[in-house]
Amino acid sequence: MRLITAVIFSAALLFGARAFAATPVAATPPMGWNSWNFFADKVSDADVRAAADALVSSGMRDAGYVYVNIDDGWQGVRDANGVIQPNAHFPDMKALADYIHARGLKLGLYSSPGSKTCGGYTGSLGHETQDAHRYADWGVDYLKYDLCSYIQDVMQAQAPRDPDRQMQLMIGAYRRMHAALKATDRPIVFSLCQYGWDAPWEWATGTDIGGNLWRTTGDITPEWDRIYAIATQQAGLAAYAGPGHWNDPDMLEVGNGKLTPAENRAHFSWWAMLAAPLLAGNDLAHMTPATRAILTQRVVIAIDQDPLGQQATRAYADGEIEVWTRPLQGGALALAIFNVGSDRHAGSHPMHLSLSRLGLKSGQPAHDLWSNQVVTLVEGMPIAMQRHDVMLLRIDAPVAALPPR
Ligand code: GLA
């Protein structure tokens, strides 16, 4: 009897361990918060705890935001054995990880394959294995790995004037950290940050690199022109996204800078259509109810997190209007109409929706995900929208137009 119990117990342990090892990370785009866009490298343990508390009290955690990611600025120096120490703003990283985990959240950290991060803090060059184990010991669940000084330290130093070799060296840096993370046996989301150089969507998901997400552009700023430029640069990348591997148009600026309510809504809608990681970048502990309402609009989050994982494509763009569509699980369709006009008259006249250009039949119902109303979509219908605003629709049972005879 004892033997049978022991056998069953060992089998359960083995199965459990396998199931754990096989747990896929980032099956849908990662959601959470990142310190950089608001705090930059002035971030502290207290700020991170406040953000974790706010994720819980605002309802954001329950809406899916679970990663609490500390970006650049947590690192101190290495000790005599080369082990990385946090700086004075982070007195006890393990205690901080425990605090975050106790709230049902996960911890993310940031490093660089170079000797220095972009902010001039200690990077992982030559210490990749040691750092990966350190992260796993702390209980880190997510790593953003930012190219920074690796460009000068290794790519330009070892291969001046040889772009092909430089690219191989860059890929090698991500391969090395992936192997180091894998050797820890802890599921850790691997976020590549190299600003979209050399088309990472083509190589970052390789099994020896294991990128769960990769930045597709340079840095975002809380300005409509930058957000629009990044969003429109994503046209053409849909084929590369899917469960476990996502294009990353950078962290959210919702609630930052001087973005208008329309711009915050359009930015959030666009990222949801793009199956982008939803990493809030604002001061969660002091956000306005309007910002909170946007970040927790569940029907919009559901577009981002749709299990099919198919990123939107641009259906058409005419002057001031851009129309994007995204197929959803079960045959549904998300449809986003953006007013990208910028002059002060933009929005003072209605736009017209062409269903025929989308291959859709006139006269079908759709759910407006911001006004929460059912609307009937009709060919050529006028849509009144202010500049930089969006109409985001979900069509649960889209009816295709009959092909012309
Ligand atoms: C780079 C990255 C940003 C941020 C900073 C930190 O600019 O692209 O997202 O991580 O470094 O220094």
Side-chain angles (χ1 to χ4, degrees):
M1 183 60 192
R2 215 181 272 166
L3 182 69
I4 294 174
T5 314
V7 169
I8 293 174
F9 185 66
S10 327
L13 265 186
L14 192 70
F15 180 76
R18 284 245 180 85
F20 181 71
T23 306
V25 292
T28 57
M31 290 177 66
W33 172 83
N34 176 295
S35 55
W36 184 256
N37 283 354
F38 185 81
F39 291 97
D41 66 351
K42 301 287 177 284
V43 66
S44 70
D45 177 288
D47 298 327
V48 175
R49 284 174 195 242
D53 290 345
L55 282 176
V56 178
S57 63
S58 65
M60 285 177 70
R61 177 196 61 189
D62 295 344
Y65 296 84
V66 292
Y67 289 100
V68 178
N69 293 352
I70 310 172
D71 207 274
D72 208 355
W74 64 267
Q75 312 89 329
V77 293
R78 296 185 182 278
D79 69 12
N81 298 317
V83 179
I84 185 77
Q85 306 299 313
N87 61 37
H89 298 295
F90 291 89
D92 187 342
M93 196 59 92
K94 178 78 178 97
L96 180 55
D98 291 347
Y99 186 91
I100 287 167
H101 290 147
R103 282 153 184 75
L105 300 166
K106 293 169 185 282
L107 171 65
L109 280 187
Y110 164 102
S111 190
S112 167
S115 62
K116 296 275 181 230
T117 66
C118 292
Y121 294 83
T122 308
S124 293
L125 185 63
H127 294 270
E128 295 82 357
T129 303
Q130 212 173 14
D131 285 358
H133 280 100
R134 182 77 156 147
Y135 305 151
D137 289 347
W138 279 332
V140 167
D141 308 290
Y142 186 117
L143 178 70
K144 173 174 168 184
Y145 208 41
D146 191 356
L147 200 59
C148 303
S149 76
Y150 186 86
I151 301 164
Q152 299 85 45
D153 291 343
V154 176
M155 291 159 62
Q156 290 174 356
Q158 292 187 18
R161 296 175 295 282
D162 185 350
D164 289 345
R165 177 76 192 125
Q166 288 189 4
M167 180 179 169
Q168 288 315 316
L169 287 165
M170 175 176 69
I171 292 176
Y174 287 99
R175 194 176 282 142
R176 225 166 7 260
M177 184 48 97
H178 169 65
L181 292 173
K182 203 167 161 206
T184 69
D185 263 350
R186 185 177 172 84
I188 297 178
V189 173
F190 192 30
S191 156
L192 275 58
C193 179
Q194 42 78 276
Y195 336 113
W197 293 1
D198 288 310
W201 42 88
E202 288 175 358
W203 51 263
T205 57
T207 46
D208 59 339
I209 300 170
N212 297 115
L213 59 155
W214 50 85
R215 280 275 296 278
T216 55
T217 66
D219 289 8
I220 197 167
T221 55
E223 286 144 348
W224 174 258
D225 287 354
R226 183 67 191 135
I227 290 167
Y228 172 58
I230 290 179
T232 196
Q233 281 166 24
Q234 310 307 304
L237 298 186
Y240 302 97
H245 50 98
W246 308 102
N247 291 304
D248 174 8
D250 209 354
M251 304 162 301
L252 294 168
E253 293 282 17
V254 174
N256 282 343
K258 294 192 170 69
L259 294 173
T260 65
E263 289 168 345
N264 279 319
R265 223 173 8 245
H267 171 26
F268 194 68
S269 305
W270 219 323
W271 266 230
M273 289 295 283
L274 292 170
L278 295 182
L279 297 170
N282 58 318
D283 182 7
L284 297 181
H286 302 102
M287 68 183 152
T288 63
T291 295
R292 179 183 162 277
I294 290 176
L295 291 170
T296 54
Q297 183 75 349
R298 296 232 183 184
V299 284
V300 178
I301 293 172
I303 302 293
D304 182 75
Q305 296 288 300
D306 185 79
L308 199 58
Q310 200 164 328
Q311 179 177 326
T313 52
R314 183 162 54 203
Y316 69 91
D318 275 351
E320 295 186 341
I321 186 171
E322 284 211 18
V323 179
W324 290 61
T325 54
R326 174 171 177 183
L328 304 171
Q329 200 177 42
L333 186 75
L335 172 60
I337 307 147
F338 298 95
N339 179 349
V340 299
S342 276
D343 72 67
R344 67 193 168 85
H345 301 296
S348 60
H349 52 94
M351 330 189 92
H352 297 276
L353 177 63
S354 170
L355 289 171
S356 56
R357 287 176 76 174
L358 300 172
L360 291 172
K361 191 166 181 275
S362 184
Q364 56 189 302
H367 181 187
D368 181 326
L369 302 183
W370 288 112
S371 73
N372 219 5
Q373 283 174 355
V374 174
V375 291
T376 302
L377 301 181
V378 180
E379 177 64 20
M381 68 191 280
I383 297 176
M385 241 193 296
Q386 348 164 16
R387 65 183 200 156
H388 305 169
D389 207 346
V390 63
M391 187 176 199
L392 184 61
L393 301 161
R394 181 187 179 107
I395 312 175
D396 276 315
V399 184
L402 290 176
R405 290 201 204 184

